[in-house]
Amino acid sequence: MDRKGMKMNNINKKFWFIVGSQHLYGPEALGQVEKNARVIVEELNKANMPYTIEFKDLATTPEKITELMLEANYNEDVAGIITWMHTFSPAKMWIRGTQLLQKPLLHLATQFNESIPWDTIDMDFMNLNQAAHGDREYGYINARLDKRNKIIVGYWDDLEVKEDIAKWMDVAVAYNEGFKIKVARFGDNMRNVAVTDGDKIEAQIQFGWYVDYYGIGDLVEEVNKVTEEEINEVFASFADLYEFDYGNNTEEVWEEHVKVQVAYEIALKRFLEAGNYTAFSTNFQDLHGMDQLPGLAVQRLMAEGYGFAGEGDWKTAALDRFLKIMSHNVATGFMEDYTYELKKGHEAILQSHMLEVDPTFAVNKPRLFVAPLSIGDKGDPARLIFDGMEGEGVAVSVADFGTHFKVLINQISAFTPEQAAPNLPVARVMWRPAPNFKTGVHQWIENGGGHHTVASLALTVDQILDWTSMLDVETVIID
Ligand code: MN
């Protein structure tokens, strides 16, 4: 997976590598421990890691451990702690520090030597390679403190172990950044719809998502300030990016409608940046003063890394931004379960929306098209039409059950549709839910999962689980 990171507010974070030990075997042994730890950190950083690991310290006293954890808490650039119990670390020393740590914790259960050297092994070797012992002592305290930390077991130079560390880092960074997500909602939720509603205060307490309302007029004001030069400058870049499809429109009418969306994009971006919002929602029922429902504008902002969901669905908009951070905005975005394919052996769900399908899923060069919106009586909005890529991934949804939130995770298998759909004026993504269509759909409905999801072909069920475990929120896994 490409972990170069998204363009939008590039997130620079690091992780501290802390080795647990004690003074039983003298300073020479401790010197060797530190040397070995530095080798591991250096080699891990050479692998395809999304963030840097920094060797922080050899921790051998409760005072030191507590100090390190407090330091990690207030250091904005530290996203989490990786611990390694090289030579056994009596875990009473870790209690206070672990209690105070407010950032994700990974217990790397590994050993410097891959194999037991039967010809030379003696008690010095045994004492120096004592993670098997230390892992259990340390794990006991984490379990007793209900730390719900991540544990990765295996040889540190193994590819699978490195990949697991990389995936956890992505979750840990997203976890921290999640508390900074601010959602601007233009308009309220769509009338009569249940699942997109919810308790915004509880969402902030649980997930850290900050949700503010704005009247659509606030955005219209910003749209009116956008100049023709600004619009033309953005429009000029489209010829390389998209295939122009005038359809039944004249080129003039088509361009005019596209440029309305460009003005929306510029205005939205300005508005969001000014308020530090990284996610937003719109509602087609609340467009006073707007000529079109934002379509192309929303799609281009999604491609940049903004979270979005339609119909005032602020929960899904925040989740979208969250998972875009976790996935580096690779094949991740807002989706709606639209239409079933029920033919036996071919069962699948067509994912789409009235306009706003995320271009990070596009397998082909998107077609820029202007057509009437099937809902409401506004002007014909411009939108990008494309087919979704294939791949394994997840569909995630957050539902508010009044007493608590429930996170639903469905493993999915996406594929590119083979048949053309000449009359469908929206992008389409197809997938099959795991373990099979019937069970997957059945369990989703039975558990009260919404029709809005955030899907990702760059994330795994385990990563979402790591996150919900950090938050201690009810989670339903369908895989
Ligand atoms: Mn919808």
Side-chain angles (χ1 to χ4, degrees), residues 426-447:
V426 286
R428 53 185 184 153
V429 172
M430 291 292 287
W431 76 52
R432 268 182 202 104
N436 55 63
F437 176 83
K438 269 196 184 183
T439 311
V441 172
H442 188 278
Q443 288 190 14
W444 189 272
I445 295 170
E446 193 170 55
N447 279 289

Side-chain angles (χ1 to χ4, degrees), residues 311 334 336 353 451-452:
E311 292 102 49
F334 164 60
E336 178 168 283
H353 208 255
H451 56 276
H452 281 176

Side-chain angles (χ1 to χ4, degrees), residues 166-233:
K167 284 179 183 161
W168 172 81
M169 283 172 142
D170 281 335
V171 179
V173 166
Y175 169 84
N176 289 305
E177 295 301 300
F179 296 102
K180 296 181 206 158
I181 291 175
K182 284 177 76 183
V183 184
R185 33 193 329 244
F186 299 101
D188 201 349
N189 295 73
M190 179 180 166
R191 287 186 280 279
N192 303 314
V193 175
V195 76
T196 57
D197 225 315
D199 183 341
K200 296 188 280 295
I201 297 292
E202 195 55 33
Q204 190 178 347
I205 293 169
Q206 278 267 323
F207 303 107
W209 303 338
Y210 198 107
V211 186
D212 280 336
Y213 165 88
Y214 290 95
I216 192 70
D218 296 325
L219 181 61
V220 171
E221 212 171 279
E222 203 61 53
V223 172
N224 292 337
K225 286 186 214 157
V226 179
T227 68
E228 210 165 316
E229 288 93 57
E230 287 169 335
I231 293 171
N232 288 334
E233 198 191 322

